[in-house]
Amino acid sequence: MGSWRRWLGAGLGSLKLQVTLGVISALALGIGIITMLLTHQAERDTLASQHQRELSESVRAASMLSRRVVELQRALRATASQLGPEIFDDDELLAAFFERQPVLLSLFASIFVTAPDGSMRLFVDATGHKHPQINLGDREYFKRSMAERRSVVSGPVPGRVSREPVIVVTYPLVRGKEVQGLFGGSLRLASRDLLGDIVERGEADVDAIMVVTDAQGIVLAHPDRTRLLRPLAEDVRFAKAVTSWEGMGSPVEPSGLLLRQPGELMTVAGIAGPDWVIWRALAEDRVLAPLHTAQRQAAIWAAQLVAVLSVLTLGLLTLLLHPLRQLEQRAQHLFDGQLDLHEGWPGGHGEIGRLARVLRHVGAERSQLEAFNAQVLKKLGSVMGAAPVGIAFTRAQRFELVSAEFCRLLGRSENEMLGQLTVMIYASEDDFLRLGPLVVAAFKTGDAYVGEWQMRRADGTCFWAQLRGRPVDPVDTAAGTIWTLSDVTAQIATREHLQWVATHDPLTGLANRKAFDERLHALFDVLPRSIPAELIVIDLDDFKPVNDQAGHAAGDAMLKAVAQAIAGCVRGSDLVVRTGGDEFAVLLERCPHATALCVAEKVREAITGITLVIDGRLLRVGASLGVASLRPDTPSAAAWLDEADTACYQAKAAGRGAVRAAPRSAPRVIDSAELEDTMNA
């Protein structure tokens, strides 16, 4: 026991130990104070950042719900625009019409049509259509929609057919100056028709809760379905926030509001139009939980750091209290090459001797490593310089190594690129932002990324490049990425030219028959939404004499002039086609029949007005045109084209240089003999 006490007393009396304990105590105190201050600041910054994020989430959800309401109103308006008098006045046609509206039925739980007095004429839901004997004339939304002649979104009301709480979206059916009835759709609050999927959609933070209320604070959507149509103030978690919101005058603010509530991050955002409010709450404890975990881990690390620093400090003091001048002077020239590697080191077998040997060994290894690195860099530089493609190494989105070919392709020197952000070489910042997720996705699957992007040279010009990338370490993405870059501008230009040639007539530059057939079939794929659409078939009159008398070169010149004349009479969105020989066609989408006839007449006049003087000859042609309308009952693109061709033949039979329209009702089938008689006439 006595010897142990003497050893302890000697140790505590040691200057090295006393200085070490003083330094470590001061260090521990400083770390503790700094940690406390940083932790407090981090908590405030984290809560402030999360509060803004929660506000953004509320505003985003409100904007999404607002767009959803607008989409529903547009759907009602689009459907109502198709309700002609012949459908609206016939109950059977009306029922059949709505049964052919699967998209509308997918948007609403049910849809209905009422008479002007509110009596329900038709009710359609997932089970089919029915004619319930109920009247909506006393509903507030019915009165408003009929009086104001506009779409109205109701508040929560009990459904008179479903007996469930619903929200109703209406659209008045106006014919002339009178309102003929009301068209509407209902959304069940107890299901996910409108609000539930907004509330329960995958949140960025699963601990947050989102609720939708009306302007009076009545719950329209809540993760807990039992709280529907009850005041939100009854929910303990939102009670104080509701009181604060009501004290502000119950604002419905689309840009969002921050509500202060102890222990909660509370935000609200208004939805203009229906005057609904999005509420979002997130417990502060859940936000700060990762920070508190990090604090505990930091405390453990700090304790370990203090322990390590205690040992290092004690060792350092031991060295400093010995004569180290010679070793210090030699160590100052360890890597500068002024002294021979093996000269000037202090002798001895104690700490100084061991440290001297270690430093000498480190110097020797460093010298060997520098020589090896120099050889590797020289070889790497040779490889990069000889490579036919540009090579670059990036880390943290900055260039750390670039080859001469890479610099040449981008018109920049190596010094201009090293250390710079990689976004500088892309044609636009949007391209750079879109590239990031594609690269991450490729690397996650273990594949190299390959893509074609426009790059910007130093002079501002752009070129198409093929970009290939592979991570240095697939496990550690922070290790950087190796990229190769090659100019593929010529290849892309060739590819685009081939694509253009495949769909265009080489003589006139107009679309060819392949492009024409694809456009026709595209219209039939979306019938009846593609109506109105018109088809004009053009057959040149007196073209053969041009070829016979002036030669094929004159004929080609005339065809080019005709193509230009036709293109000058139509819209840029209309498709002008050379279908073969001296035959042309024009596809007019979203064009009424009367307008198509006017366009056809303009085309006829433009072609008739063409005059070409070749070898002293004045060359003219005329045109016969047939116009056919696309109807809901048109069986196929070929049938539509046949109708236009038949009308064109009739124009020729009438003396040429005329415009004829195909019948707009279902055409009568003309056999080949009758058609031949018509042509001979």
Side-chain angles (χ1 to χ4, degrees):
M1 180 66 72
S3 61
W4 182 82
R5 288 181 177 177
R6 286 193 298 272
W7 179 84
L8 180 61
L12 293 175
S14 170
L15 179 61
K16 296 188 293 295
L17 183 59
Q18 291 176 357
V19 173
T20 300
L21 291 176
V23 171
I24 295 303
S25 298
L27 180 62
L29 179 62
I31 290 176
I33 294 174
I34 293 174
T35 301
M36 182 180 64
L37 294 176
L38 291 178
T39 298
H40 182 66
Q41 183 64 38
E43 289 181 354
R44 289 193 303 174
D45 293 345
T46 299
L47 290 176
S49 176
Q50 186 64 31
H51 219 155
Q52 290 299 321
R53 180 175 174 274
E54 291 297 303
L55 180 61
S56 298
E57 286 295 322
S58 297
V59 172
R60 181 193 64 80
S63 176
M64 185 184 305
L65 193 51
S66 178
R67 290 196 299 270
R68 182 75 60 82
V69 172
V70 173
E71 289 172 1
L72 293 175
Q73 291 175 322
R74 287 177 176 172
L76 290 178
R77 181 175 59 192
T79 304
S81 66
Q82 302 177 38
L83 284 174
E86 68 281 2
I87 297 177
F88 183 77
D89 296 333
D90 189 318
D91 288 345
E92 292 184 0
L93 291 179
L94 190 63
F97 173 82
F98 281 107
E99 287 183 348
R100 296 194 303 270
Q101 304 294 325
V103 175
L104 193 65
L105 287 173
S106 69
L107 296 176
F108 293 92
S110 62
I111 55 178
F112 62 86
V113 178
T114 74
D117 63 352
S119 59
M120 188 171 292
R121 291 185 54 199
L122 178 67
F123 179 90
V124 184
D125 61 12
T127 63
H129 71 275
K130 59 189 72 173
H131 302 278
Q133 300 299 316
I134 61 176
N135 191 292
L136 303 180
D138 59 337
R139 293 289 198 183
E140 180 62 26
Y141 62 81
F142 177 89
K143 297 177 181 178
R144 286 179 55 200
S145 188
M146 294 292 287
E148 299 174 8
R149 295 192 177 190
R150 66 178 182 86
S151 178
V152 170
V153 180
S154 77
V157 296
R160 289 187 173 169
V161 177
S162 64
R163 305 301 181 184
E164 296 180 8
V166 298
I167 289 175
V168 179
V169 183
T170 68
Y171 189 87
L173 300 171
V174 181
R175 187 185 300 168
K177 296 183 178 181
E178 297 182 0
V179 180
Q180 300 299 311
L182 190 70
F183 175 36
S186 63
L187 303 151
R188 292 189 297 269
L189 294 182
S191 67
R192 295 181 174 88
D193 284 346
L194 175 64
L195 309 177
D197 60 338
I198 297 297
V199 173
E200 297 179 0
R201 183 169 295 164
E203 297 288 344
D205 189 333
V206 296
D207 298 307
I209 181 174
M210 187 178 292
V211 178
V212 182
T213 71
D214 62 11
Q216 288 72 44
I218 301 302
V219 175
L220 303 181
H222 197 291
D224 182 1
R225 301 292 180 181
T226 62
R227 295 190 178 275
L228 292 176
L229 300 184
R230 294 169 57 184
L232 184 60
E234 295 180 3
D235 191 331
V236 176
R237 188 169 185 180
F238 291 86
K240 291 184 179 180
V242 172
T243 301
S244 175
W245 176 67
E246 291 175 346
M248 299 167 64
S250 303
V252 180
E253 179 56 58
S255 60
L257 296 171
L258 302 177
L259 299 179
R260 302 297 178 184
Q261 180 163 308
E264 292 278 353
L265 299 178
M266 190 70 65
T267 58
V268 298
I271 304 170
D275 286 341
W276 295 338
V277 181
I278 294 285
W279 299 76
R280 184 179 170 92
L282 179 62
E284 291 182 357
D285 290 341
R286 304 299 299 177
V287 177
L288 297 177
L291 183 60
H292 292 160
T293 301
Q295 290 171 0
R296 290 191 292 270
Q297 186 63 47
I300 295 174
W301 290 345
Q304 295 173 346
L305 178 63
V306 169
V308 172
L309 290 178
S310 299
V311 176
L312 294 178
T313 302
L314 183 59
L316 179 62
L317 289 174
T318 301
L319 293 175
L320 291 176
L321 293 176
H322 286 75
L324 303 175
R325 184 63 179 173
Q326 183 182 2
L327 182 60
E328 178 186 356
Q329 292 176 347
R330 182 61 186 85
Q332 289 176 351
H333 302 286
L334 182 61
F335 301 123
D336 59 11
Q338 295 183 11
L339 298 176
D340 184 84
L341 183 62
H342 301 287
E343 293 181 356
W345 296 101
H349 300 284
E351 293 87 346
I352 296 177
R354 290 195 296 272
L355 180 59
R357 288 192 294 273
V358 169
L359 291 176
R360 184 164 53 191
H361 178 68
V362 170
E365 288 192 344
R366 184 177 184 275
S367 178
Q368 294 177 358
L369 183 61
E370 288 180 345
F372 176 74
N373 287 341
Q375 293 178 359
V376 172
L377 289 175
K378 183 178 180 180
K379 294 177 181 178
L380 179 60
S382 299
V383 171
M384 295 182 66
V389 296
I391 302 175
F393 170 73
T394 65
R395 183 160 47 192
Q397 297 184 354
R398 291 184 182 273
F399 291 108
E400 293 194 1
L401 188 65
V402 292
S403 70
E405 177 65 12
F406 195 89
C407 295
R408 187 193 68 78
L409 288 172
L410 295 165
R412 299 178 184 273
S413 67
E414 183 178 358
N415 291 334
E416 290 176 326
M417 301 194 69
L418 293 181
Q420 299 300 315
L421 291 172
T422 56
V423 68
M424 68 183 291
I425 69 172
Y426 292 88
S428 69
E429 186 175 354
D430 289 341
D431 284 356
F432 177 75
L433 295 176
R434 288 190 293 112
L435 172 65
L438 300 177
V439 174
V440 172
F443 288 177
K444 280 186 177 179
T445 60
D447 298 326
Y449 171 77
V450 181
E452 294 176 348
W453 297 88
Q454 276 199 313
M455 299 293 173
R456 186 181 300 278
R457 301 186 182 92
D459 60 4
T461 60
C462 295
F463 67 97
W464 280 101
Q466 184 183 71
L467 186 67
R468 297 178 61 92
R470 184 176 290 277
V472 174
D473 185 349
V475 178
D476 182 14
T477 56
T481 307
I482 293 292
W483 299 95
T484 61
L485 190 75
S486 56
D487 189 344
V488 294
T489 303
Q491 295 93 312
I492 290 179
T494 301
R495 186 173 66 208
E496 291 178 348
H497 175 70
L498 292 176
Q499 292 173 348
W500 186 91
V501 168
T503 57
H504 288 77
D505 174 48
L507 175 63
T508 62
L510 300 179
N512 62 13
R513 187 58 183 260
K514 176 184 176 182
F516 183 47
D517 290 341
E518 290 176 354
R519 191 81 163 261
L520 285 179
H521 286 93
L523 288 180
F524 275 82
D525 288 341
V526 295
L527 272 176
R529 296 197 305 274
S530 53
I531 296 175
E534 299 287 328
L535 181 60
I536 302 175
V537 170
I538 306 165
D539 192 6
L540 298 185
D541 299 331
D542 302 321
F543 177 72
K544 188 173 183 302
V546 174
N547 269 335
D548 294 343
Q549 298 174 14
H552 290 289
D556 290 346
M558 180 60 73
L559 290 175
K560 292 179 181 180
V562 169
Q564 293 177 356
I566 298 173
C569 297
V570 299
R571 302 168 298 184
S573 60
D574 297 329
L575 183 67
V576 182
V577 187
R578 183 189 178 195
T579 56
D582 60 348
E583 297 176 352
F584 297 82
V586 180
L587 181 59
L588 305 172
E589 298 182 43
R590 299 299 173 193
C591 178
H593 182 68
T595 303
L597 292 176
C598 292
V599 171
E601 183 60 31
K602 287 175 59 179
V603 170
R604 187 195 65 77
E605 293 176 355
I607 295 174
T608 303
I610 296 174
T611 57
L612 293 181
V613 179
I614 298 179
D615 295 334
R617 295 175 179 271
L618 180 63
L619 304 179
R620 293 177 178 272
V621 294
S624 298
L625 297 89
V627 182
S629 301
L630 179 61
R631 307 183 311 277
D633 59 350
T634 302
S636 66
W640 189 21
L641 184 57
D642 286 344
E643 292 179 19
D645 282 335
T646 301
C648 182
Y649 295 151
Q650 292 173 353
K652 279 188 173 293
R656 303 187 178 187
V659 176
R660 290 293 184 270
R664 303 195 67 194
S665 58
R668 180 173 61 88
V669 177
I670 302 176
D671 58 30
S672 58
E674 184 179 354
L675 179 60
E676 184 177 355
D677 292 342
T678 301
M679 291 297 299
N680 292 335

